[in-house]
Amino acid sequence: MTTRRQFIEKASLSTMAVTLPFASTFSSSVRKQEDKVLRVAIMGLGSYGTRVAEAMKDCKRAKLVGVISGTPSKIEAWKEKYGIPAKNCYNYENYHQIKDNPDIDAVYVITPNSLHKPHSIGVARAGKHVICEKPMALNAEEGREMIQACQEAGVHLLVGYRMHFETKTLEVIRRQRAGEFGKTLFFQGLSGFMIGDPKQWRLNRALAGGGAMMDIGIYSINGARYMLGEEPIWVTAQEVKTDPVKFKQGVDETITFQMGFPSGAVASCLSTYSMNNLDKFFLNGTKGFAEMQPSTGYGPIQARTNQGPIEAEHITHQTTQMDEMAAIILDGKSPVVPVDGEEGLRDLVIVDAIYEAVRTGARISLI
């Protein structure tokens, strides 16, 4: 006769026999998922490409495995420095051949702004995920073409918004969303520096698509959106140019611009290539404020609120960015603030409106 205790013991052993292999398989699958590494090629081996490559040395989920460059000497130097195999090295004429290279998952496009669209679309058509430096394109029309191309190719399109993963920035965003500052009514964004070499591509309209706004001003546009948690409904803007020789037609030196939001909040921002000591965000609400200075530099970021300083360990932004982007692509992770093509497009729509406001002197509606 089977006692109740014997029945329970047998049932327990039977259950273990069924569940333990499953638990082991589940644990193994989770571990394998976390062990996946995004294999990245960098396209454009200039100063920022080098910064990303150095930061990726400390990544856990992303690895530099390839390069694309128009300069043979740079390719040779990177091969040696980063241990990149020759089969993963391409130039701007043959990079489409990455389609046949299973060792590359994604390409980080860090070429001049005017090349973002053709290079990103070329990468997408080769079947590789696209990470594109900001601004995503020269204008909203180009941005839409990039989004469509990546959708058709079935690949991710991510934009290099490193601040969307920065710890202190995310803490300010958390507090704003939690209502700790009350109703947020005002944002100030100051973005600029004194630019050097007048012959660099950033001062070439054909390559940059503009001037300071396309390089540094976009930080204030993007910052206003994530700090206020809203999308603007109108913009106004004014341009000031003190050096028309250095800043030729179509290359903006300084633009001040304003944005209005559905809640009634307003943003007042400055984009310039003629002043240092800026890089400041200020958010004001009915119950408190947040101030960040520096707010978007390579770090460490300094942040404080009406309750005091925000403390957090500084981690190289590009290291965190690439690990988080790997999690988005490999695991389907959803970031607190988006970094996809649609996010890049929203900024481009505003940039287009700012330039239109400068040209016409009118208030430009965004709805």
Side-chain angles (χ1 to χ4, degrees):
M1 182 176 180
T2 303
T3 66
R4 184 171 181 272
R5 173 176 287 182
Q6 288 172 329
F7 175 80
I8 292 172
E9 288 175 349
K10 287 181 180 180
S12 298
L13 288 171
S14 175
T15 301
M16 287 177 65
V18 173
T19 59
L20 283 179
F22 172 77
S24 176
T25 302
F26 177 76
S27 175
S28 176
S29 66
V30 170
R31 185 167 61 251
K32 286 178 181 177
Q33 184 83 343
E34 291 175 348
D35 288 345
K36 284 185 179 178
V37 172
L38 185 71
R39 298 165 300 175
V40 180
I42 290 180
M43 185 178 207
L45 310 184
S47 60
Y48 193 71
T50 300
R51 183 179 292 274
V52 172
E54 289 296 303
M56 287 182 69
K57 290 178 178 179
D58 296 322
C59 283
K60 295 179 175 61
R61 299 294 308 278
K63 180 181 180 181
L64 175 63
V65 300
V67 294
I68 303 170
S69 175
T71 307
S73 60
K74 286 184 179 180
I75 292 176
E76 290 303 313
W78 280 52
K79 278 172 60 178
E80 181 176 352
K81 184 173 184 179
Y82 299 106
I84 297 170
K87 67 183 180 64
N88 290 356
C89 297
Y90 301 87
N91 57 45
Y92 295 137
E93 284 69 48
N94 68 7
Y95 76 92
H96 304 87
Q97 294 173 12
I98 60 174
K99 180 178 182 179
D100 302 315
N101 190 334
D103 295 335
I104 296 174
D105 302 315
V107 175
Y108 196 159
V109 178
I110 314 180
T111 49
N113 300 341
S114 66
L115 299 176
H116 286 181
K117 186 188 92 168
H119 284 162
S120 295
I121 290 177
V123 168
R125 289 176 177 169
K128 306 300 180 181
H129 299 294
V130 179
I131 302 171
C132 182
E133 192 46 42
K134 60 192 176 307
M136 186 173 78
L138 294 183
N139 51 56
E141 181 180 355
E142 285 195 355
R144 293 186 185 97
E145 292 179 43
M146 291 167 64
I147 292 171
Q148 182 178 352
C150 290
Q151 288 175 341
E152 291 175 351
V155 299
H156 283 271
L157 170 58
L158 305 181
V159 185
Y161 289 113
R162 58 187 167 82
M163 302 312 300
H164 293 198
F165 306 109
E166 197 277 322
T167 305
K168 293 179 182 178
T169 300
L170 287 173
E171 177 59 15
V172 171
I173 291 171
R174 185 197 67 77
R175 295 186 189 189
Q176 191 274 342
R177 305 294 191 271
E180 294 188 21
F181 307 126
K183 182 178 174 62
T184 44
L185 301 170
F186 177 73
F187 171 83
Q188 181 187 48
L190 306 177
S191 300
F193 61 91
M194 293 186 70
I195 199 164
D197 182 7
K199 296 181 180 179
Q200 63 180 283
W201 71 261
R202 289 177 178 82
L203 295 177
N204 181 328
R205 187 175 186 274
L207 292 175
M213 181 61 63
M214 297 296 288
D215 179 22
I216 192 71
I218 200 164
Y219 281 100
S220 281
I221 294 173
N222 195 249
R225 293 175 50 238
Y226 63 66
M227 293 277 273
L228 287 167
E230 297 184 80
E231 296 300 326
I233 56 176
W234 57 260
V235 301
T236 54
Q238 307 80 36
E239 181 177 10
V240 176
K241 187 170 291 192
T242 65
D243 188 347
V245 175
K246 187 173 187 178
F247 303 99
K248 298 177 173 59
Q249 181 68 30
V251 179
D252 48 287
E253 176 185 351
T254 300
I255 292 178
T256 56
F257 61 98
Q258 304 77 40
M259 296 183 283
F261 295 80
S263 68
V266 293
S268 177
C269 303
L270 171 70
S271 164
T272 185
Y273 267 159
S274 294
M275 286 178 271
N276 288 328
N277 307 309
L278 295 174
D279 192 15
K280 177 180 178 180
F281 286 174
F282 179 75
L283 181 71
N284 200 28
T286 56
K287 294 181 181 179
F289 70 86
E291 182 179 56
M292 306 178 73
Q293 188 175 21
S295 57
T296 63
Y298 294 139
I301 300 301
Q302 300 296 330
R304 70 184 182 98
T305 73
N306 51 292
Q307 296 180 341
I310 296 177
E311 303 293 347
E313 178 187 4
H314 170 66
I315 301 174
T316 301
H317 297 170
Q318 294 80 5
T319 302
T320 303
Q321 172 196 330
M322 296 308 295
D323 273 341
E324 289 293 324
M325 287 186 166
I328 291 170
I329 292 172
L330 298 175
D331 308 338
K333 183 176 180 179
S334 295
V336 174
V337 184
V339 292
D340 57 13
E342 295 293 339
E343 175 74 2
L345 177 60
R346 291 184 187 100
D347 281 343
L348 291 174
V349 168
I350 297 168
V351 170
D352 288 352
I354 288 171
Y355 281 135
E356 180 67 8
V358 166
R359 187 183 69 81
T360 64
R363 185 166 98 165
I364 307 300
S365 173
L366 295 170
I367 56 175

